[in-house]
Amino acid sequence: MPVPAPHQRTAVLPHQAAPADDACADAVRAWSAPAAGDAMDRGALGGPWAAADTACRDLAPDVAQPATPPAADNGSGHALTLLLIGDDPNSTVPDMWDWAGRKLRLRTARNLTEAARLLTDDVHCILLDLAPPDGPDRAAADEAADGAGPDDELGALRAVLRMAPAHAVLVMTPETDAERAAEAVRVGAQDYLFRDELDGAVLSRAVRYAVERKRADLAQRQLTESRLRAQENARLERGLLPTPLLEGSDLRFAARYRPGRSRALLGGDFYDTVRTADGTVHAMIGDVCGHGPDEAALGVELRIAWRALTFAGLCGDELLSTLQKVLEHERADDEIFATLCTVDISPDGRRAGVCLAGHPAPLLARAGLPPRLLPYETGGPALGLLPHARWPRRQVELGGSWSLMMYTDGLIEGHIGEGKQRLGQEGMAALVGRRMAAGLTGEELLDAAMTEVRDLNGGELTDDVAVLLLDRRKG
């Protein structure tokens, strides 16, 4: 690859047509103006002049650079590495320098086969010498372009971009081939250089800028991909959140859900409420041990299975036994378990059957009475712990007007103040009772209760929290 001796002329790269700002423009004028007598010490100007001088030397291609690099290679081994792909790798290449004044390391390859062997992780930039369309080296370039057709004038560049998608790529062409050089940038190269305008300062600057632009492009691409994944995950998780099916029921429904995972919409807690054809309202709430996405997925599976089994007519021990089989088949390992509370409310709304599988007992508040915890002594173990467990169904009298609150343990395991004391079920019952006495109901009651629990904890709760509230207001 013929590389001429450095020209005593300036070259303006496409992205450097003007200084970055007014301060840079001033610095350019100061560097360009001839000084009378001895050379002017621009660093002695001080203030903004000195800062602009330092910041803008590399941004001002019209300014002649010092013949001696600012600092010699310090031997740290962290200088930029350039891989040159051309037909004559033995040609003289100007010395190049990175931001810290270290000499750029150079590797040369005659074709893409050699380049693939030399393309290691420490290569920062690739300089591809594009053979002229009608030059003697064009046939070799086409052969090196991984089968690109003879009409593809940028076949070699496309092959390099496929081979090195994470590397900065510069192309070099004759000045008479400006149209193809511009097309190379549109195809994916970071910049182009004209072979007959090449010198060490221009090449050094182009390599540095190409590396930084490629880093910026990759960072922007990763950010965009991350945002798209987050949006897709959010849409998926919103679709998996339950919609209560209570058409025809006089019960009022409210729920609050807060996953413990940062920026997640779903956690290992799950809940659902449906009304079957006979008028019975079924509600459930559960908690898969753990807090990760696998636990959230398992919770969704159990909720959907519960809804399907409920509509199929299963209830109580039969339903929980079947759910345990689902859990055993779907869990990642044998140590995963889930707690569950199910409630089936009679069509007249005055009675309910309650089953507990290692889960905290619901909170019941009858009209004119403070809330109290339902008995939990007759409950069974969590799902997935004992292969032949049973879950008795306990009958509860609700009365005419009542509120039934079901919750996961994330609501009661928060601390009170800076000590180790936890809120617990009794503390939660007292907290909800105070809010009810103040006249709060439904979503307002849940919002106020969760806010106070977080305040008592001194910040956000670390565990998933799900709360479900059913109300009936009749005589």
Side-chain angles (χ1 to χ4, degrees):
M1 181 192 73
V3 179
H7 289 240
Q8 297 301 317
R9 65 186 300 274
T10 59
V12 180
L13 300 182
H15 58 284
Q16 298 169 326
D21 52 30
D22 292 341
C24 289
D26 292 340
V28 170
R29 286 192 291 270
W31 271 92
S32 302
D38 296 336
M40 176 170 41
D41 183 4
R42 292 165 177 83
L45 292 174
W49 277 98
D53 172 29
T54 303
C56 298
R57 290 193 188 189
D58 280 346
L59 294 178
D62 296 327
V63 178
Q65 300 294 312
T68 303
D73 189 353
N74 60 11
S76 65
H78 297 295
L80 293 179
T81 300
L82 175 68
L83 175 59
L84 172 63
I85 306 175
D87 62 289
D88 186 7
N90 295 320
S91 298
T92 302
V93 177
D95 288 339
M96 296 166 286
W97 311 89
D98 68 7
W99 303 273
R102 296 170 297 210
K103 187 175 180 180
L104 264 67
R105 296 176 294 179
L106 179 67
R107 297 179 185 174
T108 58
R110 292 179 181 275
N111 51 49
L112 295 184
T113 302
E114 290 185 10
R117 291 197 299 266
L118 297 174
L119 188 63
T120 54
D121 292 339
D122 59 340
V123 172
H124 298 87
C125 185
I126 298 173
L127 176 60
L128 175 64
D129 185 12
L130 291 177
D134 54 354
D137 300 319
R138 180 57 191 273
D142 290 339
E143 182 180 357
D146 290 347
D151 296 331
D152 188 357
E153 296 184 350
L154 296 175
L157 173 61
R158 298 180 201 276
V160 168
L161 294 174
R162 289 194 299 269
M163 179 178 66
H167 290 73
V169 177
L170 293 169
V171 297
M172 185 165 53
T173 69
E175 189 172 5
T176 56
D177 204 7
E179 184 176 348
R180 188 161 65 120
E183 179 64 22
V185 174
R186 287 192 287 270
V187 168
Q190 270 60 59
D191 210 338
Y192 64 85
L193 299 168
F194 292 140
R195 188 180 298 116
D196 50 353
E197 291 186 345
L198 195 65
D199 62 26
V202 170
L203 184 56
S204 298
R205 192 181 306 116
V207 170
R208 296 196 298 264
Y209 289 178
V211 169
E212 288 306 314
R213 284 197 297 275
K214 186 63 177 182
R215 288 174 179 169
D217 290 344
L218 290 176
Q220 182 62 42
R221 184 181 308 169
Q222 292 170 355
L223 178 60
T224 301
E225 292 175 352
S226 177
R227 286 174 175 169
L228 289 175
R229 284 195 298 269
Q231 292 171 0
E232 291 173 357
N233 291 339
R235 285 194 295 269
L236 174 63
E237 293 186 355
R238 287 192 192 98
L240 294 175
L241 288 172
T243 300
L245 302 179
L246 293 174
E247 185 177 358
S249 173
D250 59 359
L251 301 184
R252 295 185 301 177
F253 169 89
R256 286 295 180 267
Y257 192 92
R258 186 181 299 276
R261 291 185 295 139
S262 175
R263 297 188 298 275
L265 295 178
L266 284 180
D269 292 2
F270 53 98
Y271 66 89
D272 205 350
T273 306
V274 299
R275 182 175 184 264
T276 51
D278 63 355
T280 302
V281 172
H282 303 262
M284 73 90 171
I285 195 164
D287 182 3
V288 177
C289 67
H291 311 289
D294 292 338
E295 289 75 11
L298 182 55
V300 171
E301 291 182 86
L302 292 175
R303 180 186 67 77
I304 295 174
W306 175 87
R307 177 176 283 201
L309 294 171
T310 299
F311 280 127
L314 275 66
C315 185
D317 180 75
E318 185 181 12
L319 186 149
L320 291 176
S321 297
T322 308
L323 280 180
Q324 173 158 281
K325 293 178 181 178
V326 174
L327 172 66
E328 290 171 347
H329 286 291
E330 298 296 331
R331 61 186 176 184
D333 60 70
D334 293 341
E335 296 183 356
I336 299 295
F337 63 90
T339 66
L340 199 69
C341 171
T342 67
V343 174
D344 56 276
I345 302 171
S346 62
D348 63 5
R350 303 184 68 88
R351 291 172 302 278
V354 179
C355 288
L356 296 176
H359 200 85
L363 189 68
L364 174 64
R366 294 191 178 97
L369 298 175
R372 65 179 180 87
L373 293 167
L374 294 180
Y376 59 88
E377 293 83 0
T378 59
L383 302 182
L385 293 183
L386 300 176
H388 303 293
R390 303 301 298 270
W391 294 274
R393 177 176 175 273
R394 184 184 183 97
Q395 188 77 12
V396 177
E397 292 294 328
L398 299 178
S401 297
W402 49 265
S403 296
L404 183 69
M405 192 175 88
M406 306 164 67
Y407 53 93
T408 56
D409 59 6
L411 185 68
I412 60 177
E413 291 186 347
H415 292 88
I416 300 177
E418 298 181 357
K420 295 183 179 181
Q421 182 182 358
R422 297 186 182 275
L423 177 62
Q425 289 179 279
E426 299 296 338
M428 183 268 299
L431 182 153
V432 172
R434 291 194 300 272
R435 297 295 180 174
M436 285 184 169
L440 298 182
T441 60
E443 294 184 351
E444 290 184 350
L445 172 63
L446 296 186
D447 288 337
M450 292 189 67
T451 298
E452 186 172 350
V453 169
R454 288 198 303 271
D455 291 343
L456 291 173
N457 189 58
E460 286 294 339
L461 302 168
T462 57
D463 197 2
D464 304 329
V465 178
V467 187
L468 186 156
L469 182 67
L470 292 172
D471 288 303
R472 185 173 187 264
R473 292 288 178 261
K474 283 197 175 182

